[in-house]
Amino acid sequence: MPVQYYIFLSIALFCIGVMGVLMRRNAIIIFMCIELMLNAVNLLMVSFSKMWADAGRVDAGSAQLFVFFIMVVAAAEVAVGLAIITMVYRNTHSVDINILNRLKN
Amino acid sequence: MVLSVVALVSALGVVLSKNPVTSVLCLIVTFFTIAGHYIMMNAQFLAVVHIIVYAGAIMVLFLYVLMLMNLNAELEPQKRNWLKYAGAISGGALLVVLVAALRDASMPALSTNATDIGLIKNLGMILFKQYVVPFEVSSILFLSAMIGAVVIGKKE
């Protein structure tokens, strides 16, 4: 199976995530779409790792470790982000992102 | 490939479904299919970690927050339609540009024979030999994220 197949799959997943961020205004769904984009990148990096492992590189595992670190950062981001969304919901009783216009004042 | 089709359909379901809980469930399906891709590419450790971290921790957190807010009752306020179309069109344009740019790239085919590079033994050797400092920094990041979440979520 060519690597391009995985490239196109992750491009499609990433673009679906971008569309979700642009189209929806529920903050939680926007957050989930960001997770989707991160996962598309992870998938691409694992397929490149497999490609270099097939080519005989011994350090192809580094890419998988980068994926691991991306997962770590995503988990931390979700913890803080959901806390912020909960806080916004507690203050405004809505998760509409247009409410955040008020940050301007 | 069935797995990829399921991944794409459920990813579309995340974006298009009206009910946020349905979105979360579709996203869990997407994560499982991505874990299946990891297994097919001999990244067994990453597949297991992916399922544990995403399906086990992050999505449970999302579901928990959704149920806490009780959003299923209230509908998402309707955005103006042309904004929605503009978002869809710009996302599709990004898709077209990236596919057109990469269509002619020549890449080797992935072999189907197994490599042991994704096993926890090899990854652990790399992690604790070459990437010890990022590992420690990520633990500090986790600690600070945990404290930050508690401080933000605290009632004042």
Side-chain angles (χ1 to χ4, degrees):
Chain A
M1 188 166 299
V3 183
Q4 273 160 317
Y5 173 83
Y6 286 106
I7 294 177
F8 291 144
L9 176 62
S10 21
I11 287 174
L13 283 177
F14 189 87
C15 291
I16 289 173
V18 170
M19 274 188 226
V21 170
L22 292 178
M23 281 166 63
R24 303 302 296 264
R25 55 175 15 176
N26 189 337
I28 295 178
I29 289 180
I30 287 176
F31 230 68
M32 293 197 295
C33 290
I34 291 173
E35 294 298 312
L36 200 60
M37 289 194 272
L38 283 171
N39 273 285
V41 176
N42 282 351
L43 183 63
L44 191 63
M45 198 132 49
V46 170
S47 67
F48 279 139
S49 160
K50 170 72 172 161
M51 184 181 91
W52 285 112
D54 286 342
R57 292 279 292 261
V58 289
D59 55 351
S62 298
Q64 301 199 0
L65 276 178
F66 283 173
V67 173
F68 185 66
F69 283 123
I70 290 175
M71 284 181 191
V72 167
V73 173
E77 170 223 334
V78 165
V80 176
L82 281 180
I84 292 174
I85 289 176
T86 314
M87 211 50 208
V88 169
Y89 181 75
R90 190 182 293 156
N91 286 331
T92 64
H93 296 286
S94 163
V95 287
D96 193 337
I97 51 166
N98 277 12
I99 293 290
L100 298 181
N101 278 340
R102 290 180 197 168
L103 286 182
K104 280 191 294 196
N105 304 322
Chain B
M1 186 59 56
V2 180
L3 217 50
S4 316
V5 173
V6 174
L8 288 179
V9 168
S10 52
L12 277 177
V14 174
V15 176
L16 297 179
S17 76
K18 292 289 174 205
N19 192 344
V21 177
T22 319
S23 293
V24 171
L25 295 181
C26 284
L27 196 57
I28 291 175
V29 173
T30 312
F31 284 159
F32 272 104
T33 54
I34 287 176
H37 278 112
Y38 286 171
I39 289 176
M40 287 201 306
M41 286 187 283
N42 296 117
Q44 294 94 344
F45 172 67
L46 275 186
V48 173
V49 168
H50 188 267
I51 288 178
I52 291 174
V53 170
Y54 279 103
I58 292 183
M59 299 326 288
V60 170
L61 206 60
F62 270 113
L63 265 183
Y64 188 72
V65 170
L66 272 181
M67 307 251 171
L68 200 71
M69 292 179 181
N70 195 17
L71 284 177
N72 337 358
E74 67 184 89
L75 281 176
E76 188 173 348
Q78 208 53 47
K79 190 188 269 193
R80 281 186 302 273
N81 251 347
W82 64 270
L83 267 182
K84 200 168 269 186
Y85 291 138
I89 286 171
S90 45
L94 180 64
L95 178 72
V96 168
V97 166
L98 285 175
V99 167
L102 289 168
R103 199 186 44 193
D104 295 332
S106 69
M107 295 276 178
L110 292 183
S111 66
T112 52
N113 50 359
T115 58
D116 56 352
I117 204 144
L119 296 181
I120 190 167
K121 183 184 169 196
N122 297 315
L123 286 183
M125 292 295 273
I126 299 173
L127 178 61
F128 289 110
K129 277 182 176 167
Q130 295 179 31
Y131 296 100
V132 176
V133 178
F135 179 71
E136 301 290 343
V137 171
S138 68
S139 69
I140 296 174
L141 174 74
F142 254 134
L143 184 65
S144 57
M146 193 171 70
I147 295 173
V150 170
V151 168
I152 291 171
K154 194 182 55 163
K155 271 199 208 305
E156 66 269 21

